[in-house]
Amino acid sequence: MTDYEKAMRPEDITRLFVERSNAGDAAGVAALYEENAVLAYPPGGRTVGREAIRELWARVLANGPRFELETPLPTLVSEDIALTSTPPKDGSGARAQVVRRQPDGSWLRLLDQPEFVDPTS
């Protein structure tokens, strides 16, 4: 596995996600997740585990999407768990992630809700 820059603050994960996604690096994106992480994507579904997340991002990134860094909302931290979130630039709701501090002090995503579906639609 490549030596990737580690997220030493919960907020670093979003920046690293954008950098790695725009580079087409699905393995690098997956490295931001814990081994048994849960990603609520595709919308209405779930992708479980780092390898499944890598495979999903390989398919998504094959289309060459471009991501922009979004301004984060304040991070909520309780010991080794944090909640990060960003409002999408298109105003379509919010994105939220639960991240956990690792033994080396870095942070990885445990739960990722990249898109919220309007329950009234």
Side-chain angles (χ1 to χ4, degrees):
M1 183 168 150
T2 303
D3 285 333
Y4 289 106
E5 177 185 349
K6 293 184 178 186
M8 298 312 292
R9 300 175 314 132
E11 300 83 0
D12 292 340
I13 295 176
T14 299
R15 173 183 56 82
L16 294 170
F17 169 85
V18 170
E19 290 172 4
R20 294 173 189 181
S21 294
N22 287 343
D25 185 357
V29 171
L32 298 170
Y33 292 84
E34 286 194 355
E35 192 63 43
N36 295 310
V38 177
L39 169 62
Y41 194 85
R46 306 178 342 143
T47 302
V48 180
R50 183 182 290 150
E51 181 56 24
I53 290 169
R54 186 199 62 74
E55 292 171 5
L56 171 78
W57 279 107
R59 289 190 303 274
V60 170
L61 297 177
N63 296 320
R66 298 300 299 167
F67 294 87
E68 291 185 43
L69 197 56
E70 297 167 334
T71 304
L73 297 171
T75 300
L76 185 61
V77 180
S78 176
E79 297 181 8
D80 292 337
I81 301 289
L83 175 66
T84 62
S85 57
T86 56
K89 288 187 176 193
D90 64 8
S92 64
R95 306 181 200 290
Q97 302 83 30
V98 174
V99 299
R100 182 167 27 204
R101 187 185 335 256
Q102 304 301 298
D104 67 359
S106 67
W107 293 81
L108 292 175
R109 286 180 173 168
L110 174 64
L111 301 170
D112 186 2
Q113 179 80 49
E115 297 180 2
F116 284 90
V117 178
D118 182 352
T120 62
S121 58

